[in-house]
Amino acid sequence: MQDVTDLRFMRVIAHYGSPDYFFTEYFRVYANSGLHKNILRSITENTSGRPVFAQLIGESIPDLMRVAGELSRYPIAGIDLNLGCPAPRIYRKNVGGGLLRDPDKLNSMLGELRQAVNGRFTVKMRVGFDDTANFDRILDLINRHNIDLLSLHGRTVKEMYHSDVHYDLIAHAVQRVQCPVLANGNVTSAVAAAAVLSQTEAAGVMIGRAAIRNPWIFQQTRQHLSGQPVSNIMLPAVRDYIERLRCATAMPSIPERARVSHMKMYLNYIGQGVDATGAFLSDMRQARTEAELFGACDRHLLSEPDQPFAVEPYPGQAARPNRETAHVLEAC
């Protein structure tokens, strides 16, 4: 998730129970591109105790090979190639999900990178660009080039996040490819994770946006899958999570309005589990100052300490972009 899963957010998530491994934000790869210092910090300063895969996005094969080689000198779990980003400003450059339109280019790219990467080489993709005509052909390329892990989002690029997830296509991929498959798409709770695993027979799940809303989701999923009671989270604990986010991501050097907008990026997701009426989302979106924003958090999250945080997002409480923020969330 670009502009979200940086070192600071990873540290917050680790406090509540890390995933088995992390993927960095993507390193944008092009001619003469270097290693983005802030993204690199999520590798070099990782204290979560969990492995971190370095994610690349680009279309220049020589430059992808060059950057993969540079990253191999750092303590990474492997190199991950992004073939799934659905943001129009990304796929229009023929990178991310845009590459799913060109299996011949992918054949060359995967082959060259497989030769260049001595360790684990993984791929994250969707089931197609605007249809699934190339799906089986690309799955066969995953086999041909001995990819070590496939993370598969069960929608096409053009479907973004609006359609139902095609879990049947993820199940098809599980049967067709030789490597483990992680199922991705609408894994919103521990119960949802178990259902997706049962339906697809995938080796695991990849969780993105739901971890912004509920950082306890990894711990809860482990509990559910092992037959333990799933932890109930009360609203005051969510207020503590918001405060931890604020402290971890605060940048006093930037204007207050920008800080407020940055926090709203997180709160657009967190608010989906606070109340069924959407009152918290409405109040926080109207805030213009930090005092107004965190005052709204206190009113809605501390006034009813025995109120549980919703395990699944309340219907109709989808996150929407915040016009003020300069940050773009791309959950690929």
Side-chain angles (χ1 to χ4, degrees):
M1 295 182 292
Q2 205 65 9
D3 299 327
V4 175
T5 45
D6 57 12
L7 176 66
R8 297 170 298 176
F9 185 73
M10 285 167 55
R11 285 175 172 170
V12 172
I13 289 293
H15 176 78
Y16 297 100
S18 297
D20 292 330
Y21 36 84
F22 288 97
F23 290 81
T24 68
E25 302 168 89
Y26 50 67
F27 290 91
R28 291 176 172 87
V29 178
Y30 48 88
N32 302 317
S33 63
L35 300 180
H36 193 290
K37 292 181 179 179
N38 286 339
I39 301 177
L40 193 61
R41 289 183 62 209
S42 62
I43 297 168
T44 59
E45 300 177 36
N46 170 33
T47 58
S48 68
R50 304 294 192 186
V52 181
F53 285 83
Q55 182 185 176
L56 308 184
I57 194 168
E59 57 88 27
S60 168
I61 295 175
D63 290 301
L64 286 166
M65 294 169 64
R66 171 180 58 81
V67 171
E70 293 172 2
L71 284 166
S72 70
R73 298 195 287 268
Y74 293 91
I76 58 173
I79 295 292
D80 184 64
L81 179 64
N82 184 308
L83 302 177
C85 184
R89 68 186 183 91
I90 298 298
Y91 71 67
R92 285 171 185 157
K93 299 175 183 177
N94 203 39
V95 300
L99 284 166
L100 297 176
R101 294 172 292 192
D102 192 349
D104 290 333
K105 175 69 174 284
L106 283 182
N107 184 36
S108 298
M109 182 179 290
L110 294 177
E112 296 288 349
L113 278 170
R114 176 71 280 180
Q115 293 297 315
V117 176
N118 292 324
R120 297 184 187 92
F121 177 35
T122 69
V123 168
K124 177 166 63 175
M125 60 179 267
R126 288 185 171 230
V127 297
F129 183 75
D130 51 8
D131 58 38
T132 59
N134 292 328
F135 187 44
D136 279 349
R137 185 178 175 189
I138 294 173
L139 292 180
D140 290 342
L141 295 178
I142 298 295
N143 286 335
R144 178 183 303 171
H145 298 296
N146 298 313
I147 303 304
D148 293 301
L149 176 72
L150 173 64
S151 302
L152 183 59
H153 186 115
R155 297 183 176 100
T156 67
V157 170
K158 284 300 190 74
E159 286 175 327
M160 297 284 288
Y161 305 102
H162 309 310
S163 74
D164 291 338
V165 180
H166 307 295
Y167 295 116
D168 58 325
L169 294 179
I170 299 178
H172 173 73
V174 169
Q175 297 301 315
R176 192 173 184 104
V177 301
Q178 298 160 0
C179 66
V181 175
L182 299 183
N184 179 231
N186 282 15
V187 184
T188 52
S189 67
V191 172
V196 169
L197 289 172
S198 176
Q199 184 173 347
T200 64
E201 298 185 341
V205 292
M206 172 176 275
I207 298 175
R209 292 171 295 161
I212 307 173
R213 183 183 66 85
N214 175 14
W216 297 272
I217 191 170
F218 302 107
Q219 170 192 311
Q220 291 171 330
T221 299
R222 292 189 184 97
Q223 290 169 338
H224 182 70
L225 292 176
S226 63
Q228 302 176 48
V230 174
S231 300
N232 285 322
I233 309 302
M234 301 300 168
L235 292 186
V238 178
R239 180 64 181 90
D240 288 343
Y241 164 48
I242 292 170
E243 185 64 16
R244 189 172 293 273
L245 278 174
R246 184 190 70 81
C247 292
T249 63
M251 292 177 282
S253 60
I254 69 173
E256 180 181 23
R257 181 169 179 174
R259 296 197 302 270
V260 168
S261 296
H262 188 68
M263 280 304 303
K264 286 182 180 181
M265 177 180 68
Y266 300 112
L267 294 175
N268 269 316
Y269 288 86
I270 296 169
Q272 297 171 46
V274 172
D275 65 279
T277 67
F280 169 67
L281 282 171
S282 177
D283 283 359
M284 76 85 182
R285 286 168 176 165
Q286 295 179 49
R288 293 292 177 266
T289 66
E290 289 178 323
E292 292 174 352
L293 185 67
F294 296 114
C297 293
D298 289 343
R299 287 194 303 275
H300 290 275
L301 299 169
L302 299 181
S303 61
E304 298 186 60
D306 296 326
Q307 178 69 26
F309 184 62
V311 174
E312 293 277 3
Y314 284 114
Q317 302 300 327
R320 61 171 173 79
N322 174 23
R323 292 179 180 177
E324 299 172 11
T325 185
H327 298 271
V328 178
L329 175 61
E330 294 162 353
C332 303

